[in-house]
Amino acid sequence: MHHFIDRRRNPKGKSLGNRQRFLRRTRHHIKDMVDKSVQKRSVKGDGTDDHSVGERVTIPVKGIREPRLTQSNTGGFRQRVFPGNKDFVVGDSFPRPKGGAGQGGREGADSGEGEDGFSFNLTREEYLQILFDGLELPDLIKKASVETETIATRRAGITTSGTPNNLNLVRTMRNSLGRRIALKRPSADDFAKLEQEIVDLEALSDPNAAQIRLLADLRHQFEALERKRRVVGYIDPLDLRFDTFTTEKVRNSKAVIFCLMDVSGSMQEREKDLAKRFFILLNLFLERAYEHSEIVFVRHTHHAQEVDEETFFYARETGGTIVSTALQEMRDIIDDRYPSDEWNIYGAQASDGENFGNDSVKCESLLTEQLLPFCQYFAYVEIVPESEDRLLNDPGAGGDLWHSYRRVKQNFPNFEMLRVSEPAHIYPMFRKLFAKKVAGDTS
């Protein structure tokens, strides 16, 4: 691998360090605006949301100017030596020119920012890239056979030999131009100018001796230019460059994620809205992370069933709560369609924590014995009432389902659980669930 070191001096009045700080500040501002916008976007009745469009970002004028060092006319002490003229000589002093101190320039606007900010639109892809920057799907359990391989062709650089159909015209002409400049190949203009001078002299009816000698000298120069032009060709075989390609095996990962949502009677519109926000983010993230991914939607009350996306997000069926039915349905679907040695399996569950009788123990058993050993990652999100915000910072408090899942978490690093109570908690919670894991970090 080649390493290029840019040793160019900084442009006048600018600093590479200042430019890097400016870029970091601008990226941080865009990231903040995207993070805030995702909390404001609504979940529509059909289960979709505003993530299908990009985002308009405005950077205040004070943030779009790259810092630079300039001379100030209002302070400091400087000594200069001027050559002098008929009015002044070295050593004369004269008043400092007036200016600066905020004089001149454009006037501020009523908004307080002074001038218009810089606004631009992020496309959906750019928006999602910033939204999910720094996140990854955990791959805590490495499996060798979860990927399929296909053969693809990719560029492998530039070479000096190849077939004409692979000729890289840009690189070839660049080499040709550099060689012609280095060897000083006569240009067409040089020939035309010299040839015209010869024609003019030959047209004279009675040239004098000096003109005859000049004509002979020009003819000699013309022959020398022709000889050099033949020696230094326009394109030399040394200039030719060809594109090369190579075939490689492309590993295509397959992943399936199970979205398990509690839609029992205890889940009101607020709880369902928070759950939908979480699942929408999860689906968008999965689509970007894996080339081949499938999503399985499972709704559950006292019984669970696999449904399509439309039914998952806005069907109004409700009933009692038996959480283990959703886990059992997930287990059955895996056995039926998604062999664990071929698929990356992920699970995500959202519930208000309510469960029937002793079912939480059965949930713990299903997770530890039948699901988590085959899952790459399983995330549980518990939606607590807004009046119970204290539960967000008190993991020791909660219902039977929460305590059962806490025991699961102690034994399985690929299991994570968090609580939320309002829309603003969803995105930070999502980033925490899918933050990049450092090797050896089991926290």
Side-chain angles (χ1 to χ4, degrees), residues 25-26 51 60 106 195 232 256 277 290 314 318 345 415:
R25 186 172 67 242
T26 304
H51 294 96
R106 286 165 285 187
E195 189 174 17
V232 184
V256 57
R277 289 175 182 271
Y290 282 95
Y314 69 99
T318 185
I345 300 174
F415 181 85

Side-chain angles (χ1 to χ4, degrees), residues 62-313:
K62 63 182 180 182
I64 61 176
R65 287 180 177 170
E66 184 177 342
R68 55 184 301 177
L69 299 175
T70 59
Q71 292 181 344
S72 171
N73 293 324
T74 59
F77 296 94
R78 298 186 299 276
Q79 291 183 344
R80 295 183 180 180
V81 178
F82 295 97
N85 52 32
K86 63 180 181 181
D87 297 324
F88 302 98
V89 296
V90 175
D92 285 348
S93 61
F94 46 90
R96 180 175 296 152
K98 296 180 180 179
Q103 301 297 322
R106 286 165 285 187
E107 296 181 355
D110 296 338
S111 63
E113 293 295 345
E115 301 176 10
D116 292 338
F118 177 63
S119 298
F120 56 94
N121 290 320
L122 294 175
T123 64
R124 179 178 183 272
E125 287 300 316
E126 292 170 338
Y127 175 78
L128 294 179
Q129 182 177 359
I130 296 173
L131 188 66
F132 297 130
D133 183 36
L135 302 182
E136 68 174 5
L137 279 174
D139 188 18
L140 303 179
I141 305 173
K142 299 292 184 183
K143 299 178 181 179
S145 59
V146 296
E147 296 174 331
T148 59
E149 292 183 346
T150 58
I151 303 299
T153 302
R154 69 170 179 84
R155 295 174 63 91
I158 303 295
T159 184
T160 56
S161 61
T163 56
N165 58 322
N166 289 333
L167 178 67
N168 188 309
L169 190 59
V170 174
R171 292 293 296 272
T172 298
M173 296 307 297
R174 184 189 303 169
N175 291 340
S176 171
L177 178 61
R179 181 182 51 78
R180 281 183 275 131
I181 293 175
L183 298 179
K184 298 181 179 179
R185 184 179 190 267
S187 65
D189 292 340
D190 295 336
F191 268 97
K193 183 178 179 181
L194 192 58
E195 189 174 17
Q196 184 60 45
E197 292 180 5
I198 293 174
V199 171
D200 293 341
L201 289 175
E202 290 177 342
L204 296 177
S205 58
D206 187 16
N208 54 33
Q211 291 172 331
I212 293 175
R213 288 195 298 272
L214 178 60
L215 178 61
D217 184 57
L218 292 178
R219 286 173 175 169
H220 179 73
Q221 291 181 27
F222 190 83
E223 292 175 359
L225 289 181
E226 281 189 328
R227 184 168 58 255
K228 190 166 187 177
R229 194 175 175 88
R230 287 194 299 271
V231 173
V232 184
Y234 189 81
I235 293 181
D236 190 90
L238 293 174
D239 302 330
L240 299 180
R241 293 295 183 272
F242 300 87
D243 294 323
T244 58
F245 300 90
T246 184
T247 58
E248 64 176 8
K249 293 181 179 179
V250 178
R251 309 182 76 180
N252 300 317
S253 299
K254 296 191 299 184
V256 57
I257 188 162
F258 289 82
C259 298
L260 314 178
M261 183 165 66
D262 182 358
V263 293
S264 61
S266 59
M267 290 281 288
Q268 300 301 312
E269 286 303 317
R270 184 189 72 88
E271 286 80 7
K272 290 179 181 177
D273 178 81
L274 295 179
K276 290 174 184 178
R277 289 175 182 271
F278 168 67
F279 286 124
I280 287 173
L281 282 178
L282 185 60
N283 294 344
L284 291 172
F285 181 50
L286 186 70
E287 290 175 1
R288 293 179 58 80
Y290 282 95
E291 184 177 358
H292 303 290
S293 60
E294 293 188 12
I295 303 173
V296 178
F297 297 102
V298 176
R299 288 165 54 97
H300 79 88
T301 53
H302 58 284
H303 72 278
Q305 60 178 337
E306 180 183 358
V307 295
D308 57 26
E309 183 176 355
E310 183 179 353
T311 305
F312 181 80
F313 280 107

